[in-house]
Amino acid sequence: MYSAIMSTQERLVQSTQELLWERGYVGTSPKAILERAGVGQGSMYHHFTGKSDLALAAIRRTAEGMKETAETCLGGPGTSYERVAAYLLRERRVLRGCPIGRMTQDRDVVQNRELRQPLDEMFDWLQGRITEVLAEGQRRGELAAGLDPAAIAATVAAVVQGGYVLARAADDTAPFDAAVRGALSLLAAQVTPGASAQPAAG
């Protein structure tokens, strides 16, 4: 599964990322991690103090990856509407759920301050970044002056996370797609006349 030149530590982190997404924290046993990574038990404890330490490295890695992906959209070209739309419409494995959002539903992670910190930081960053994009759009005259960037940013984040939950419950991506279309139509209504943004097709 992994490249022969990939370090043992890297294989352990990647395996843990995948298993946490698939099974959650409780369902991710050290044995499963070692089997997925194809390494021995001694290798795991050479690099990490235990499951919690390895899970923390994996969660941090996942959060950083999500930031990079989001920034590609939010920091890209176009109007503020187009950049937020790019984030909402980017390709996702919807039925697997959000790898970070799923951790917030894991009691063992949420109750562990250290494991929870990367989750809180990721969501705080995301809402702050979307707020910046929307506020920039207001300053440029692309969006209505009465729009509340922070409130809309919170709505966008909630639409994505709620969309994942509804899609997984229905075993169908349609609820996620509908939520995204709804959010974009509401945001498009705040686009000022002459700004080059049209509601995106779902």
Side-chain angles (χ1 to χ4, degrees):
M1 173 180 280
Y2 297 111
S3 167
I5 63 173
M6 186 182 293
S7 72
T8 297
Q9 185 174 3
E10 183 67 19
R11 291 202 300 272
L12 286 165
V13 172
Q14 287 195 17
S15 297
T16 305
Q17 284 182 276
E18 294 167 2
L19 288 165
L20 288 172
W21 195 2
E22 294 168 9
R23 307 180 185 181
Y25 184 77
V26 172
T28 298
S29 66
K31 180 180 179 182
I33 294 170
L34 295 173
E35 288 178 351
R36 179 71 64 95
V39 301
Q41 184 173 353
S43 298
M44 175 175 171
Y45 291 100
H46 174 72
H47 295 286
F48 302 96
T49 59
K51 173 183 169 180
S52 179
D53 186 35
L54 177 50
L56 178 59
I59 292 169
R60 282 177 174 161
R61 174 77 63 82
T62 299
E64 285 304 314
M66 289 184 65
K67 280 185 183 181
E68 290 173 9
T69 301
E71 181 58 29
T72 298
C73 302
L74 297 170
T79 65
S80 55
Y81 171 90
E82 289 164 346
R83 289 153 64 192
V84 172
Y87 168 72
L88 284 169
L89 293 169
R90 75 170 182 80
E91 187 175 345
R92 292 177 169 87
R93 300 169 74 176
V94 173
L95 295 182
R96 285 193 69 183
C98 172
I100 289 296
R102 290 193 70 185
M103 290 294 94
T104 67
Q105 300 168 41
D106 196 314
R107 184 175 179 181
D108 290 82
V109 172
V110 173
Q111 292 186 341
N112 182 313
R113 181 178 298 177
E114 203 171 24
L115 292 178
R116 179 175 175 168
Q117 185 176 354
L119 311 181
D120 292 339
E121 290 174 353
M122 167 60 198
F123 287 121
D124 286 347
W125 174 86
L126 180 63
Q127 290 193 40
R129 188 68 182 97
I130 296 172
T131 299
E132 289 175 1
V133 171
L134 295 172
E136 181 184 318
Q138 275 186 318
R139 290 194 300 272
R140 291 179 175 178
E142 298 168 359
L143 298 171
L147 178 143
D148 183 337
I152 297 300
T155 300
V156 169
V159 162
V160 171
Q161 293 304 317
Y164 276 123
V165 172
L166 293 174
R168 284 173 57 80
D171 195 26
D172 188 340
T173 60
F176 184 96
D177 296 337
V180 166
R181 286 196 304 272
L184 288 175
S185 67
L186 292 172
L187 184 55
Q190 300 298 312
V191 173
T192 55
S196 60
Q198 296 296 323

